[in-house]
């Protein structure tokens, strides 16, 4: 497992064809609100087993193809605006 702590915006050139993103079992405490803006074909995101406490309300807004989102085993307390 990785030990990622936070994620910011990634380069848009390489993300258009991603369908599955597994970030589970890390030490994530923060995800930038624009991180997923360029993942147009993303079907599944696994963020389980991290330390997320706040999720920005627009984080998943542009993911029209998203089918499955796993957020279990985090410490989410609120959706931030």
């Amino acid at each position: 497992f990785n030990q990622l702590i936070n994620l910011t915006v990634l380069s848009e050139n390489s993300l258009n064809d991603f369908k599955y993103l597994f970030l589970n079992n890390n030490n994530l405490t923060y995800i930038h609100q624009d991180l997923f803006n360029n993942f147009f074909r993303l079907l599944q995101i696994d963020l389980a087993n991290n330390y997320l406490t706040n999720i920005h309300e627009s984080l998943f807004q542009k993911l029209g193809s998203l089918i499955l989102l796993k957020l279990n085993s985090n410490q989410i307390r609120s959706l931030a605006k």
Side-chain angles (χ1 to χ4, degrees):
F1 299 110
N2 294 308
Q3 293 186 6
L4 301 174
I5 295 172
N6 64 60
L7 294 173
T8 57
V9 179
L10 301 173
S11 168
E12 61 186 75
N13 296 334
S14 61
L15 305 177
N16 291 336
D17 293 324
F18 271 81
K19 291 185 180 179
Y20 306 96
L21 185 60
F22 299 98
L23 296 169
N24 55 309
N25 297 306
N26 279 284
N27 291 318
L28 290 174
T29 59
Y30 173 77
I31 299 176
H32 190 277
Q33 67 188 36
D34 297 325
L35 178 69
F36 299 124
N37 283 357
N38 298 307
F39 286 83
F40 302 114
R41 293 183 176 89
L42 200 57
L43 300 173
Q44 180 177 337
I45 302 173
D46 189 344
L47 293 166
N49 298 305
N50 281 290
Y51 296 96
L52 298 170
T53 57
N54 297 304
I55 300 288
H56 195 277
E57 65 180 8
S58 67
L59 182 62
F60 308 109
Q61 188 172 6
K62 295 185 179 181
L63 299 177
S65 299
L66 190 65
I67 295 171
L68 180 64
L69 173 62
K70 293 183 178 183
L71 291 169
N72 57 295
S73 297
N74 278 284
Q75 299 171 6
I76 298 172
R77 295 186 185 126
S78 69
L79 293 176
K81 292 186 178 185

